Amino acid sequence: MEKEDAAGPSRRDALRSHEMQSVCEVGTDAGIVESITLKNFMCHSLLGPFNFGSNVNFVVGNNGSGKSAVLTALIVALGGKAQATSRGSSLRCFVKEGESSADVSVTLRNKGRYAYKPEVYGDSIIIDLRITREGNRSYKLRSKTGQLVSAKKEELVSILERFHIQVNNPVSILTQEMSKHFLHSKGEGDKYKFFMKATQLEQMKEDYIHSKETKHVAMAKVEQHAEVLKDLKRKVQEKEERFNSLESLDNMKAKLEELQKQMAWALVTEMEKELLPLQEKLQSDKRCTEKYNEKVEEWKNKVVEAENKYKQIHEQLESITLRVQELLPQCAQLKAEAQRCNARHKSSEVSVHRCKTNLRDLEKDKTQLSSRINELKLSISQTTGAESQARAEQMEQIQAELHNLAHQESTLRQQIDQYQQASSRAKDELDKMSQEQDSLQRSMNSKRRNLQTMESSRSNRLRRFGEHMPMLLSAIQEAHQSGQFRQGPRGPLGYCIRPKDPELALAIEICLTNQLQAFTCDNYEDEKVLKAIMSRIIRRGRRPTIITSAFLPRVHDTSRRCVDHPLYPSVLQSLEIEDPVVANCLIDQRGIESILLIKNRAEARRVMQDRNPPRNCTQAFSQDGDQIFTNRSYTAEQTRANYLSGDVEEEIRLLEGEVENQSAQLTQFQQQMRKIEEDIRQNDGLLSRAHMEQKKTKDKAGKLQLMLADLQNVEEPQSEDLKPLEEDLEETIGKISAEHIEYVAAQADMAQLKASCEEAEQEYEQLKDHISRVAEEADSIKEELSKSDQDVVKCKHHQNHYEEKRCCHLDNIQTLEVDLNSKKQELETLVAKAIQICSERLTVDRTPRSLDTEISRLRVKITTQQDQQGDRLEIMRQYREAVGKYKEVAQQVDTLNDSIKTLDSINNDSLKSLAELRTFLSYRCQCYFNSMLDQRGFTGSMKFDHKRETLSISVQQASGANADVSDMRSLSGGERSFSTVCFVLALWAVTEAPFRCLDEFDVYMDMVNRKIATGMMLKVATTQRFRQFIFITPQSMSSLPVSKYINILRLKDPARGGNDEEEEQE
């Protein structure tokens, strides 16, 4: 022992140098604890996060502050069992009372040479543990950024193995209970077990024992297999004797094998000959594909040109319609202005005529008065007073009658003008009402025809599409049954569809106006046959349209070009169409998959003319049949569905009501017309009587004029009668002057009004002519638009035709390729089988049929001989099975013997290595232990007895040369704790781990031993910068030196009334 102590310092220096060198070689801090956080763990609601330093960490605090909870959480989070913590028998004990789960988060450093998957986790690995109230735990392994990487326990085990973390190793983590047990342990065997467990020598020993047990099991199996081999060898000999007796069949079987080889390659040759025409046909069809592609592209371009032309013409029509709509209000305004000017002109004409009549009457009176005065002056001497008086009275009477007649004639002229104007207005109104009556009569006749069609469709819905339709369909069916059609035509298309929502029937009918009565054929030959049938059945009137397109068994896939609105259906979605041919025809001709049906017109305008109209939607129809585009809309003239209405009785009732209403309107029109005609007859009678009265008045006035002339010529008035006449003459001249002025003014006013009236009428007529020319232009454009629409339909029809032909052609090519590939695969299979039978290709001139005949004959012959001698294959099989079984068992025996030899070698090496490593580690542990005791002034020894598996530790106080060597049990509690620390530090020197934890290592030490032990641990930590040390102590540790490598975590005392904890970090 003295020699050992004398050599101790040099060995200890060598060991320290070796440890420093190994630490420098490692040069990593992977696996150290960076932080830990506890939630609802044990009696603490929240602890942490605690950030640990990379070297030395002291966790200090009073009892109940959570020190041991931190260590317990670390053990559990790193996969340790609950019993290893000495804090509970089950994990559910760690869940705080009243909570459903507890959470622990531990962050391990992942840097340096031994980092674990740094490209995935980064510089840190976060281990999140959750413990439920039932005692279950689950892991979530996250990267430094918090991203979840794995939730498997196996990943955590791999991480711990990579970092050499052993939570159950007391040298890595020494809990209070383990430390207490170790301090109070009195058995040397317990100390030895502690040493073996700390250095993992115990694991090596267990592995060695397991290997020996495996060797014994293998030796037992070898003995069992040796007995089996004897029986198998005997069976092999029996089978071999029977097998050798069957050699007589070899020649026939060899010949059979040769024939089978020829048969295999003969089948290959025959299949190759079958492939040649298929390949030639495929090449020819592929060359024809280009022609179909050219045709499709040609008609695609024509469709684009036709659609562009249609769009251009449609835009022209839109612009013309807009111009007409803009001009109509101006035209109405000019017409009203012309009528007002004409009325004012008529009124001025009446005024001028009245002034002219008055002026003529006054001139006539003036002439008569002048003549009378002259006559009186000339004949005054010839007449007597009595005669003159009588003639004067008679002349006054005649003049009074003439005045009355003139007034009566003026009144008659005004009446004649009124009667003529009234008659003209009545005739204009009668013409207008006659036109309206004709329009109403045509509408009523149309509704009566519809009503008749509806009534006849009660028993047959086909009659809605025309009286000829049942007969036409019957003739088509007869022709199809007689084989005149390749594919039976479909139609009328409106008869083959039904709206799902009856309220949308009008919208669908207006949308499909041109297709409802149409028929569709599969090819042009069927189209010719159908035209002949139509010309025979429908001799007069318009015949239904025929659409020619190849029939397909499935509806087109419109998923990429259909409109899909969450609220409103498309026309395709709103129809029940059982026949896919009808559906495909409506899709091709009208694009019903891209037309929406929206019941409300305002909502339809909002949906379509918004900034973002529905995708793939070209137009929409409202419930009333209004057609809405993205930039325009059209109002429907039709008010009721004629073909697609569901309730026939309701339609009949409505039509009868409309016919009855229109009939009542027509009767009322006729009554009004008869009244107007009666008014015209009355006006004509009054006008005739007025003309007659005017003629009588003129004749009577002429007679009175002659009588007055005669009296004037005979009578010589008295001189005293001249004065009133002269006064009347002067008064008449004054009236003539005033009336002439009024007449001139009325003429000027009339001329001005006439000019303005003519100007207004000219403007009105010019604008009216302009609107008529624009309307005529629109009519020509409509015809051109209709023609362009037909061109678009025709081009699309041709495009679809060639696309269908190309599809059929490509389908044929695909079918041919499938057949060819199938033949090739069959050929490859035959070639593979032939190669298996005979690896070299044989040139065979015989056919497979002749070879098969010979093979069958030879097989019969072989079977007959086998029946006589036994089944050769069965004998060979039994012989081969016996030989194979024997070889298999022999190989297993050889393998087991090799394994036993290998296990012997491994066990010898393991035992030797275990002994050497145990000696080396025990020696290193003794050296480090003595070195640690020197710092306290103690000397001692550690004696290992590996045979008995005991470890005795002796401690000697260095106070005198004759001091007694005593066991650790004779030391005080503080000295024993210090000795334990020395022992633990010695074990640290011989084990590898990224971090080491001690829980209350100094609890039984006095101040002197505590200071010495602390200094020793700090000194060891100083030499191991890449390892982490975590010391848990109830002491304040305020005497520690200030260093950047020392980190102190101070836990606050538990708050009264709560369990939440906080920590202070220095």
Side-chain angles (χ1 to χ4, degrees):
M1 191 64 190
E2 291 179 359
K3 292 180 181 180
E4 204 172 289
D5 293 340
S10 62
R11 292 195 183 96
R12 286 195 295 272
D13 294 339
L15 285 172
R16 289 196 187 97
S17 175
H18 175 72
E19 186 178 51
M20 288 297 295
Q21 183 179 357
S22 66
V23 170
C24 294
E25 287 176 356
V26 172
T28 179
D29 52 358
I32 70 173
V33 180
E34 290 186 345
S35 67
I36 184 169
T37 304
L38 287 65
K39 183 179 180 182
N40 297 330
F41 191 81
M42 295 177 70
C43 60
H44 305 279
S45 298
L46 180 63
L47 279 178
F50 300 116
N51 298 318
F52 294 96
S54 60
N55 192 213
V56 180
N57 298 272
F58 285 92
V59 181
V60 300
N62 294 327
N63 292 333
S65 60
K67 302 187 302 299
S68 298
V70 174
L71 185 61
T72 302
L74 180 62
I75 295 172
V76 174
L78 297 181
K81 298 181 179 179
Q83 293 84 351
T85 64
S86 302
R87 294 286 180 171
S89 59
S90 174
L91 291 175
R92 60 185 177 185
C93 300
F94 300 136
V95 181
K96 185 182 177 182
E97 189 69 27
E99 300 293 339
S100 60
S101 63
D103 296 309
V104 178
S105 178
V106 177
T107 303
L108 300 180
R109 187 167 297 176
N110 192 40
K111 294 181 180 179
R113 178 178 171 186
Y114 295 104
Y116 181 79
K117 297 181 182 179
E119 70 281 359
V120 177
Y121 288 95
D123 294 342
S124 299
I125 299 177
I126 302 174
I127 302 171
D128 291 338
L129 168 68
R130 169 159 290 189
I131 304 171
T132 62
R133 173 60 65 184
E134 292 76 18
N136 300 322
R137 61 176 161 186
S138 59
Y139 289 96
K140 289 185 179 179
L141 305 178
R142 305 180 186 274
S143 64
K144 183 178 181 180
T145 60
Q147 183 179 0
L148 179 64
V149 177
S150 177
K152 296 181 179 179
K153 179 72 176 293
E154 292 78 6
E155 183 77 1
L156 177 61
V157 173
S158 300
I159 293 172
L160 298 179
E161 289 178 354
R162 179 69 173 178
F163 293 157
H164 300 290
I165 297 175
Q166 305 164 17
V167 293
N168 295 325
N169 192 334
V171 175
S172 295
I173 301 176
L174 187 61
T175 61
Q176 287 186 29
E177 293 299 323
M178 181 63 73
S179 176
K180 188 184 300 182
H181 174 74
F182 177 67
L183 289 173
H184 296 135
S185 175
K186 298 180 181 180
E188 295 177 350
D190 294 338
K191 293 184 177 64
Y192 186 84
K193 289 181 181 179
F194 187 84
F195 166 77
M196 294 290 285
K197 186 174 182 180
T199 56
Q200 291 187 299
L201 292 173
E202 183 179 357
Q203 182 65 38
M204 292 181 63
K205 183 178 178 182
E206 291 176 356
D207 293 341
Y208 171 73
I209 294 172
H210 177 71
S211 180
K212 288 184 69 176
E213 292 175 353
T214 304
K215 174 188 171 184
H216 293 312
V217 172
M219 292 177 68
K221 286 186 178 180
V222 167
E223 293 177 357
Q224 293 175 1
H225 284 54
E227 296 295 329
V228 173
L229 274 176
K230 293 179 181 179
D231 296 336
L232 290 176
K233 188 174 182 180
R234 180 178 52 79
K235 290 181 180 179
V236 168
Q237 291 175 352
E238 293 175 357
K239 301 296 181 183
E240 187 176 3
E241 291 176 359
R242 190 176 177 187
F243 173 75
N244 293 330
S245 64
L246 299 176
E247 293 181 356
S248 60
L249 296 174
D250 289 345
N251 294 331
M252 285 189 294
K253 290 188 176 180
K255 186 177 180 180
L256 177 63
E257 184 178 356
E258 182 64 26
L259 289 175
Q260 288 176 342
K261 292 178 181 179
Q262 293 181 7
M263 180 68 176
W265 288 109
L267 291 173
V268 171
T269 303
E270 186 179 23
M271 182 59 67
E272 288 176 347
K273 291 180 180 179
E274 292 179 1
L275 280 177
L276 289 176
L278 289 177
Q279 291 175 343
E280 293 175 357
K281 180 71 167 58
L282 180 62
Q283 295 297 328
S284 175
D285 288 348
K286 285 185 176 180
R287 288 192 295 271
C288 293
T289 305
E290 295 297 327
K291 297 180 181 179
Y292 285 108
N293 291 335
E294 291 175 0
K295 279 291 184 181
V296 170
E297 291 299 325
E298 176 185 352
W299 283 106
K300 275 186 179 178
N301 296 330
K302 289 184 179 180
V303 167
V304 173
E305 293 176 1
E307 287 179 344
N308 292 334
K309 183 178 179 183
Y310 177 83
K311 184 177 180 181
Q312 183 179 3
I313 296 172
H314 195 275
E315 290 176 353
Q316 292 179 3
L317 181 61
E318 286 292 324
S319 62
I320 291 173
T321 304
L322 185 62
R323 285 166 53 195
V324 170
Q325 291 177 353
E326 291 176 351
L327 291 175
L328 285 177
Q330 185 179 357
C331 181
Q333 185 178 359
L334 290 177
K335 182 178 180 181
E337 183 64 26
Q339 289 176 349
R340 287 194 295 272
C341 291
N342 191 22
R344 289 196 297 268
H345 178 253
K346 292 292 183 182
S347 178
S348 65
E349 280 185 345
V350 172
S351 299
V352 169
H353 183 70
R354 187 183 67 252
C355 291
K356 186 177 180 181
T357 303
N358 293 335
L359 188 61
R360 186 175 62 248
D361 292 340
L362 290 173
E363 287 290 343
K364 190 174 182 181
D365 291 343
K366 175 186 174 183
T367 302
Q368 290 176 357
L369 287 173
S370 298
S371 300
R372 182 62 178 163
I373 289 171
N374 292 331
E375 289 175 359
L376 286 176
K377 286 181 179 181
L378 292 175
S379 63
I380 192 168
S381 60
Q382 298 176 4
T383 60
T384 60
E387 290 177 353
S388 297
Q389 184 68 29
R391 284 197 298 274
E393 290 177 359
Q394 189 177 1
M395 290 174 62
E396 288 179 1
Q397 186 178 359
I398 293 172
Q399 288 176 354
E401 290 181 5
L402 285 173
H403 180 72
N404 291 332
L405 289 174
H407 180 70
Q408 185 178 357
E409 185 181 1
S410 175
T411 302
L412 288 173
R413 280 198 300 272
Q414 292 180 1
Q415 289 178 354
I416 289 171
D417 290 339
Q418 291 176 357
Y419 293 151
Q420 288 177 345
Q421 292 178 5
S423 180
S424 177
R425 286 195 300 271
K427 288 178 180 179
D428 291 341
E429 186 176 359
L430 183 63
D431 292 339
K432 183 177 179 182
M433 292 188 68
S434 178
Q435 294 176 0
E436 293 181 359
Q437 181 187 9
D438 293 340
S439 176
L440 186 60
Q441 185 68 45
R442 287 194 298 272
S443 176
M444 189 170 66
N445 293 336
S446 175
K447 284 184 170 55
R448 282 176 176 171
R449 287 194 297 272
N450 291 338
L451 179 60
Q452 186 178 0
T453 302
M454 285 290 180
E455 288 176 346
S456 62
S457 67
R458 285 174 173 170
S459 58
N460 191 348
R461 182 168 168 259
L462 275 174
R463 293 187 180 275
R464 292 193 186 186
F465 300 90
E467 291 295 329
H468 57 272
M469 197 58 69
M471 188 182 301
L472 177 61
L473 285 186
S474 178
I476 291 172
Q477 187 175 3
E478 291 176 0
H480 182 50
Q481 291 176 353
S482 62
Q484 298 182 32
F485 291 109
R486 295 182 185 176
Q487 294 280 346
R490 309 298 200 272
L493 298 181
Y495 182 71
C496 302
I497 62 176
R498 291 181 184 275
K500 297 178 181 178
D501 188 354
E503 294 182 356
L504 297 174
L506 176 60
I508 297 173
E509 184 169 314
I510 293 176
C511 176
L512 304 177
T513 300
N514 298 327
Q515 288 81 28
L516 291 177
Q517 291 185 305
F519 283 74
T520 179
C521 292
D522 176 65
N523 52 75
Y524 289 102
E525 287 75 10
D526 291 350
E527 180 183 356
K528 292 179 183 178
V529 176
L530 182 58
K531 283 183 178 179
I533 295 174
M534 286 184 178
S535 62
R536 188 177 71 250
I537 301 298
I538 309 173
R539 298 184 181 275
R540 291 181 300 174
R542 185 178 178 184
R543 296 170 185 168
T545 306
I546 301 176
I547 301 169
T548 304
S549 179
F551 291 175
L552 297 177
R554 294 182 300 276
V555 180
H556 294 327
D557 183 10
T558 60
S559 57
R560 289 183 294 178
R561 64 176 186 271
C562 69
V563 58
D564 187 11
H565 197 279
L567 299 179
Y568 308 112
S570 64
V571 177
L572 179 61
Q573 294 170 341
S574 301
L575 289 175
E576 293 180 359
I577 309 176
E578 297 179 356
D579 194 343
V581 173
V582 176
N584 292 336
C585 181
L586 294 178
I587 290 172
D588 294 337
Q589 299 296 321
R590 193 64 180 90
I592 58 175
E593 78 280 3
S594 58
I595 302 175
L596 278 181
L597 295 178
I598 305 173
K599 292 185 179 181
N600 185 271
R601 173 181 171 83
E603 180 65 16
R605 290 176 64 90
R606 185 191 66 77
V607 171
M608 291 299 298
Q609 298 178 0
D610 195 10
R611 293 183 178 178
N612 297 316
R615 188 172 66 89
N616 296 333
C617 183
T618 58
Q619 55 187 297
F621 284 86
S622 68
Q623 181 177 353
D624 299 329
D626 297 337
Q627 188 177 14
I628 298 96
F629 293 90
T630 56
N631 56 354
R632 62 192 183 279
S633 60
Y634 300 100
T635 302
E637 297 179 358
Q638 186 176 344
T639 59
R640 184 175 292 103
N642 298 323
Y643 302 106
L644 302 179
S645 60
D647 192 350
V648 179
E649 297 298 331
E650 179 66 17
E651 291 294 325
I652 292 174
R653 187 183 62 79
L654 293 174
L655 281 174
E656 287 176 347
E658 290 184 358
V659 169
E660 186 176 347
N661 291 335
Q662 288 186 347
S663 178
Q665 291 179 9
L666 185 62
T667 302
Q668 187 177 1
F669 262 78
Q670 291 174 352
Q671 291 177 356
Q672 292 178 358
M673 289 176 67
R674 285 196 294 270
K675 183 178 179 182
I676 292 172
E677 289 173 352
E678 182 66 25
D679 292 340
I680 290 173
R681 285 195 297 270
Q682 289 180 1
N683 284 332
D684 290 341
L686 292 174
L687 181 62
S688 178
R689 286 195 296 271
H691 280 298
M692 292 176 63
E693 289 292 333
Q694 187 182 27
K695 184 177 181 182
K696 290 180 181 179
T697 302
K698 287 182 178 180
D699 293 341
K700 188 176 181 181
K703 291 178 181 179
L704 290 175
Q705 289 286 348
L706 293 175
M707 290 175 63
L708 181 61
D710 292 340
L711 290 175
Q712 288 176 350
N713 291 330
V714 174
E715 184 181 9
E716 289 292 335
Q718 299 296 325
S719 58
E720 59 270 9
D721 295 331
L722 291 176
K723 187 175 182 180
L725 291 175
E726 290 176 350
E727 291 177 356
D728 291 338
L729 181 59
E730 291 178 358
E731 184 179 355
T732 301
I733 291 172
K735 289 181 179 180
I736 288 173
S737 177
E739 194 67 32
H740 188 270
I741 294 171
E742 185 178 354
Y743 174 71
V744 171
Q747 271 191 330
D749 189 18
M750 185 184 69
Q752 183 178 1
L753 290 173
K754 184 177 180 181
S756 61
C757 181
E758 290 176 353
E759 181 180 358
E761 288 182 351
Q762 184 178 3
E763 290 180 359
Y764 168 68
E765 292 297 330
Q766 289 177 353
L767 184 59
K768 188 176 179 182
D769 293 340
H770 179 63
I771 292 175
S772 299
R773 288 195 299 273
V774 172
E776 291 174 359
E777 183 180 354
D779 293 337
S780 63
I781 291 177
K782 285 181 180 179
E783 294 178 359
E784 189 176 355
L785 182 66
S786 177
K787 184 178 179 182
S788 176
D789 187 27
Q790 293 176 359
D791 292 340
V792 170
V793 173
K794 182 179 178 181
C795 292
K796 285 185 177 180
H797 169 70
H798 285 289
Q799 178 187 349
N800 293 332
H801 171 68
Y802 283 107
E803 284 181 347
E804 294 295 338
K805 291 190 71 175
R806 182 177 65 177
C807 289
C808 293
H809 180 71
L810 293 176
D811 290 340
N812 293 334
I813 291 176
Q814 187 176 3
T815 304
L816 193 59
E817 287 178 343
V818 170
D819 294 340
L820 186 60
N821 291 332
S822 177
K823 293 287 186 182
K824 286 182 178 179
Q825 290 177 0
E826 188 176 352
L827 176 61
E828 291 175 358
T829 304
L830 291 174
V831 171
K833 290 181 179 179
I835 290 173
Q836 289 178 357
I837 297 171
C838 180
S839 59
E840 295 183 0
R841 178 158 184 165
L842 301 177
T843 303
V844 184
D845 297 332
R846 299 175 62 181
T847 62
R849 186 173 180 179
S850 64
L851 289 171
D852 184 62
T853 302
E854 187 173 354
I855 288 171
S856 299
R857 181 182 57 78
L858 190 58
R859 281 177 177 170
V860 170
K861 189 174 180 180
I862 291 172
T863 303
T864 303
Q865 190 169 352
Q866 282 179 347
D867 291 339
Q868 295 174 358
Q869 297 182 359
D871 188 1
R872 178 182 178 86
L873 294 176
E874 182 64 23
I875 294 172
M876 290 177 63
R877 185 186 63 78
Q878 293 177 359
Y879 172 67
R880 288 172 182 171
E881 284 182 357
V883 173
K885 186 68 174 177
Y886 178 79
K887 289 181 179 180
E888 181 182 356
V889 175
Q891 185 178 3
Q892 290 179 359
V893 171
D894 293 339
T895 303
L896 288 172
N897 287 326
D898 293 339
S899 299
I900 291 170
K901 291 179 182 179
T902 304
L903 286 173
D904 280 336
S905 177
I906 292 173
N907 289 340
N908 293 332
D909 293 341
S910 298
L911 184 61
K912 183 178 179 181
S913 299
L914 177 62
E916 291 177 354
L917 185 60
R918 184 174 57 190
T919 303
F920 174 71
L921 292 177
S922 60
Y923 178 73
R924 286 189 64 188
C925 190
Q926 289 174 1
C927 294
Y928 277 104
F929 181 73
N930 292 332
S931 175
M932 299 302 172
L933 288 179
D934 285 345
Q935 299 181 26
R936 178 67 176 85
F938 283 81
T939 59
S941 65
M942 298 177 64
K943 294 182 180 181
F944 290 90
D945 189 344
H946 297 300
K947 293 182 178 180
R948 296 182 180 179
E949 295 184 351
T950 59
L951 169 61
S952 61
I953 299 176
S954 302
V955 179
Q956 180 180 359
Q957 296 183 358
S959 57
N962 298 323
D964 295 331
V965 176
S966 59
D967 193 282
M968 289 178 61
R969 289 171 291 182
S970 63
L971 301 176
S972 64
E975 292 174 341
R976 189 161 54 248
S977 296
F978 169 74
S979 301
T980 302
V981 170
C982 294
F983 181 45
V984 171
L985 292 177
L987 291 176
W988 280 2
V990 297
T991 57
E992 291 291 337
F995 62 84
R996 310 184 190 277
C997 299
L998 288 180
D999 187 8
E1000 297 193 7
F1001 65 94
D1002 56 352
V1003 68
Y1004 297 109
M1005 294 184 186
D1006 54 17
M1007 292 301 295
V1008 177
N1009 289 321
R1010 182 180 296 112
K1011 184 175 181 181
I1012 294 174
T1014 302
M1016 291 169 61
M1017 288 188 291
L1018 291 177
K1019 186 175 181 181
V1020 171
T1022 303
T1023 61
Q1024 301 179 15
R1025 294 296 188 195
F1026 295 99
R1027 284 200 181 97
Q1028 186 183 43
F1029 299 87
I1030 301 174
F1031 303 113
I1032 300 175
T1033 175
Q1035 308 300 324
S1036 64
M1037 306 307 291
S1038 58
S1039 61
L1040 289 175
V1042 178
S1043 174
K1044 63 180 180 180
Y1045 299 109
I1046 299 176
N1047 183 40
I1048 300 176
L1049 299 175
R1050 300 186 185 277
L1051 303 186
K1052 289 187 176 182
D1053 296 338
R1056 298 186 182 275
N1059 292 324
D1060 293 346
E1061 301 294 334
E1062 297 179 357
E1063 56 88 14
E1064 295 180 1
Q1065 182 172 335
E1066 296 181 5

